[in-house]
């Protein structure tokens, strides 16, 4: 891409953007606020506003308990089937339930029990820390019969692919990784690593939280076993919205949900005292779903399906390349480092920039420059590109304001202590 530092060039790119009209489908009350954190919390679709009123006033207020038979009960499968179309899965291979962490626990324990005799879990140090906490807890619950092997990345950006391949062996029960790494945005070759794990007899569990809705994913083509993901980032499902899980169809009847509950019971209104798992993915449900937050996932998923993930990915790559070109021209001379892959084929939809004063620069962006990014220790300023609503002008202005913060030393106004949420 030929880059120009001129704001007029960014506006020209926006004028040529075939996805630009989707921005008008979101609530944007302050056009002067630049939002670069859709990789943490997506914007609010207008359709979610009208749906929330209908959910509370009509479905709950007027229809009351009758609404369970008018769409509530089947929502986990219905919305799961729509998400499946974004990640290359069959409609009956994805269901919405619980949180990402709870789903990881359920699938990891199910996989480890299925892989009896194998004692190792393999992951990397780029994985989301919460995933590691869940795996540690699963090992404790299973009487410490397994070992967690965490393979380090050489540079904190790229996944340690060759080392992971070398560590796969007859003792590996489960390989579990973030498909797109939360700090650097590095994206694994799902098909290649899944095949390597299967050759060693291991199952694979992918965390799609930073992939779903931002990059094309094809679980079936990769013959992936298991996956989880959240819905409040690129899917724009709302803060703390329920997550989803994927189980390849041929594994569904062979895995056992460790958190058995009445929503996963074969005849849940028979109220038998003995648990009998439902057929298919419903066996991996546990308790009553949070209907309001669950239902509000659907409008964001519908928007992505309407736009088309391939078209959105093409825009995301153009925008991230534009951002990296601006970094090279404007920010690298000021001490900013690129902490995301340059290669498009292994870069997700956010770009991380490092700086020795990263935290204070982030605080200055938020409080003085009307830009909302996020910060990940020790020095990562993450700039999320959400092609449904991020503009080239947003990217240009963010870079210019980063430059101003450093040139004018505005960051010196801020302490080195991090706030609770960064």
């Amino acid at each position: 891409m030929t880059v120009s530092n001129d704001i007029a060039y960014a506006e020209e790119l926006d004028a040529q953007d075939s996805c630009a009209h989707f921005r008008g489908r979101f609530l944007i009350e302050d056009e002067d606020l630049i939002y670069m954190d859709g990789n943490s919390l997506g914007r609010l679709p207008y359709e979610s506003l009208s749906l929330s009123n209908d959910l509370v006033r009509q479905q709950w207020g007027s229809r009351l308990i009758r609404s369970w038979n008018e769409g509530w009960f089947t929502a986990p499968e219905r919305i799961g089937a729509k998400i499946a179309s974004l990640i290359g899965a069959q409609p009956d291979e994805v269901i919405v339930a619980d949180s990402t962490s709870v789903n990881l626990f359920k699938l990891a324990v199910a996989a480890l029990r299925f892989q009896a005799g194998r004692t190792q879990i393999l992951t990397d140090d780029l994985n989301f820390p919460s995933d590691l906490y869940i795996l540690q807890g699963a090992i404790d619950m299973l009487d410490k019969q397994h070992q967690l092997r965490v393979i380090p990345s050489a540079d904190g950006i790229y996944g340690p692919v060759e080392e992971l391949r070398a560590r796969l062996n007859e003792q590996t029960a489960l390989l579990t990784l973030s498909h797109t790494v939360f700090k650097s945005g590095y994206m694994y070759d799902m098909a290649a690593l899944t095949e390597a794990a299967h050759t060693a007899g291991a199952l694979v569990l992918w965390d799609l939280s930073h992939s779903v809705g931002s990059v094309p994913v094809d679980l079936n083509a990769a013959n992936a076993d298991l996956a989880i993901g959240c819905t409040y980032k690129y899917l724009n499902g709302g803060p703390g919205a329920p997550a989803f899980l994927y189980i390849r169809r041929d594994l569904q009847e062979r895995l056992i949900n460790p958190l058995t509950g009445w929503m996963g019971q074969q005849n849940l209104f028979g109220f038998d005292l003995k648990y009998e798992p439902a057929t298919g993915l419903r066996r991996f449900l546990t308790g009553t779903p949070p209907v309001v937050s669950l239902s509000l996932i659907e409008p964001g998923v519908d928007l992505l399906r309407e736009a088309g993930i391939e078209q959105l990915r093409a825009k995301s790559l153009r925008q991230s390349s534009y951002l990296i070109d601006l970094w090279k021209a404007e920010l690298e001379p000021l001490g900013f480092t690129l902490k995301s892959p340059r290669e498009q084929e292994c870069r997700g939809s956010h770009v991380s920039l490092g700086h020795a004063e990263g935290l204070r620069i982030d605080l200055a962006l938020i409080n003085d420059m009307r830009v909302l990014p996020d910060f990940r220790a020790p020095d990562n300023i993450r700039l999320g590109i959400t092609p449904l609503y991020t503009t080239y002008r947003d990217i240009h202005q963010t870079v210019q304001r980063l430059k101003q913060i450093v040139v004018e030393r505005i960051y010196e106004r801020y302490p080195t202590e991090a706030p609770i949420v960064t």
Side-chain angles (χ1 to χ4, degrees):
M1 176 185 289
T2 301
V3 68
S4 169
N5 299 346
D6 195 329
I7 186 64
Y9 179 67
E11 292 172 345
E12 179 185 343
L13 293 174
D14 283 327
Q16 298 169 358
D17 176 18
S18 62
C19 296
H21 63 284
F22 284 103
R23 180 177 170 89
R25 307 277 289 275
F26 292 86
L27 176 66
I28 301 177
E29 293 184 322
D30 184 353
E31 285 287 352
D32 294 328
L33 178 70
I34 298 174
Y35 193 59
M36 299 296 290
D37 206 10
N39 55 313
S40 282
L41 175 65
R43 283 190 179 272
L44 171 63
Y46 273 117
E47 180 60 30
S48 297
L49 279 175
S50 56
L51 176 59
S52 63
N53 182 66
D54 180 71
L55 279 164
V56 175
R57 178 66 184 86
Q58 177 65 24
Q59 296 182 36
W60 176 17
S62 296
R63 298 303 295 161
L64 294 168
I65 201 167
R66 290 170 292 185
S67 287
W68 279 109
N69 286 321
E70 296 169 356
W72 287 0
F73 185 77
T74 56
E77 291 106 325
R78 183 183 71 250
I79 300 171
K82 291 184 176 184
I83 294 172
S85 70
L86 299 175
I87 56 177
Q90 299 304 307
D92 61 351
E93 291 179 320
V94 178
I95 199 165
V96 180
D98 303 309
S99 67
T100 311
S101 294
V102 172
N103 286 338
L104 174 63
F105 178 84
K106 290 190 291 189
L107 294 189
V109 171
L112 294 176
R113 287 174 169 169
F114 181 75
Q115 294 278 74
R118 290 173 173 256
T119 60
Q120 292 184 3
I121 307 170
L122 193 61
T123 189
D124 67 6
D125 66 348
L126 302 180
N127 207 346
F128 196 64
S130 179
D131 288 17
L132 302 187
Y133 308 156
I134 294 296
L135 295 171
Q136 292 161 15
I139 289 171
D140 285 345
M141 194 199 75
L142 295 173
D143 297 326
K144 302 187 187 303
Q145 297 299 305
H146 300 83
Q147 300 83 44
L148 180 62
R149 303 287 186 227
V150 182
I151 308 303
S153 163
D155 58 7
I157 298 175
Y158 292 84
V161 176
E162 294 309 314
E163 185 66 15
L164 286 167
R165 285 177 175 272
R167 293 294 189 97
L168 287 164
N169 57 44
E170 68 281 354
Q171 285 303 308
T172 309
L174 182 67
L175 170 67
T176 180
L177 299 163
S178 290
H179 179 237
T180 299
V181 171
F182 82 103
K183 278 189 181 179
S184 71
Y186 171 78
M187 187 169 63
Y188 275 106
D189 184 332
M190 176 183 289
L193 265 180
T194 299
E195 181 180 12
H198 287 173
T199 298
L203 293 177
V204 185
L205 197 169
W206 292 100
D207 186 337
L208 304 179
S209 294
H210 283 85
S211 296
V212 60
S214 68
V215 301
V217 176
D218 199 333
L219 292 168
N220 284 171
N223 198 28
D225 305 303
L226 309 165
I228 55 168
C230 72
T231 62
Y232 47 78
K233 302 181 190 298
Y234 298 102
L235 295 188
N236 306 296
F244 65 89
L245 62 86
Y246 155 90
I247 304 176
R248 199 178 64 231
R249 185 180 289 161
D250 63 291
L251 286 172
Q252 291 177 14
E253 304 295 328
R254 304 164 70 189
L255 299 181
I256 300 172
N257 182 359
L259 296 178
T260 52
W262 87 304
M263 280 288 159
Q265 167 76 332
Q266 179 64 39
N267 180 12
L268 69 166
F269 285 102
F271 297 111
D272 296 328
L273 299 185
K274 184 178 185 300
Y275 178 79
E276 294 291 342
T279 57
L281 272 188
R282 282 201 74 90
R283 65 174 51 203
F284 273 83
L285 296 182
T286 301
T288 305
V291 170
V292 174
S293 57
L294 167 63
S295 301
L296 290 176
I297 297 168
E298 199 161 11
V301 174
D302 286 341
L303 275 172
L304 286 160
R305 283 157 52 89
E306 179 183 342
I309 195 65
E310 296 292 345
Q311 183 178 4
L312 293 173
R313 173 61 169 167
K315 178 181 176 181
S316 169
L317 288 175
R318 289 192 296 269
Q319 289 192 313
S320 61
S321 294
Y322 175 63
L323 173 53
I324 290 170
D325 286 342
L326 287 175
W327 158 78
K328 184 71 177 176
E330 300 279 349
L331 299 179
E332 188 178 33
L334 298 176
F336 287 89
T337 59
L338 180 64
K339 308 200 78 171
S340 293
R342 292 181 186 238
E343 305 90 338
Q344 291 190 351
E345 65 273 11
C346 60
R347 185 173 70 238
S349 200
H350 68 269
V351 173
S352 286
L353 301 178
H355 194 282
E357 293 289 354
L359 174 61
R360 296 205 286 175
I361 292 171
D362 179 77
L363 293 173
L365 269 180
I366 295 169
N367 295 300
D368 296 288
M369 294 296 172
R370 298 183 58 73
V371 178
L372 295 182
D374 67 16
F375 177 80
R376 294 293 178 261
D379 63 350
N380 287 264
I381 301 169
R382 292 196 315 175
L383 302 174
I385 291 170
T386 312
L388 280 172
Y389 50 75
T390 300
T391 67
Y392 288 91
R393 182 185 176 88
D394 288 340
I395 295 169
H396 178 274
Q397 293 295 89
T398 296
V399 170
Q400 295 307 312
R401 293 175 195 186
L402 281 167
K403 181 179 179 180
Q404 183 181 350
I405 287 167
V406 174
V407 169
E408 298 180 11
R409 307 184 75 84
I410 297 172
Y411 64 86
E412 292 181 348
R413 303 173 186 171
Y414 293 92
T416 57
E417 294 79 22
I420 295 174
V421 178
T422 55

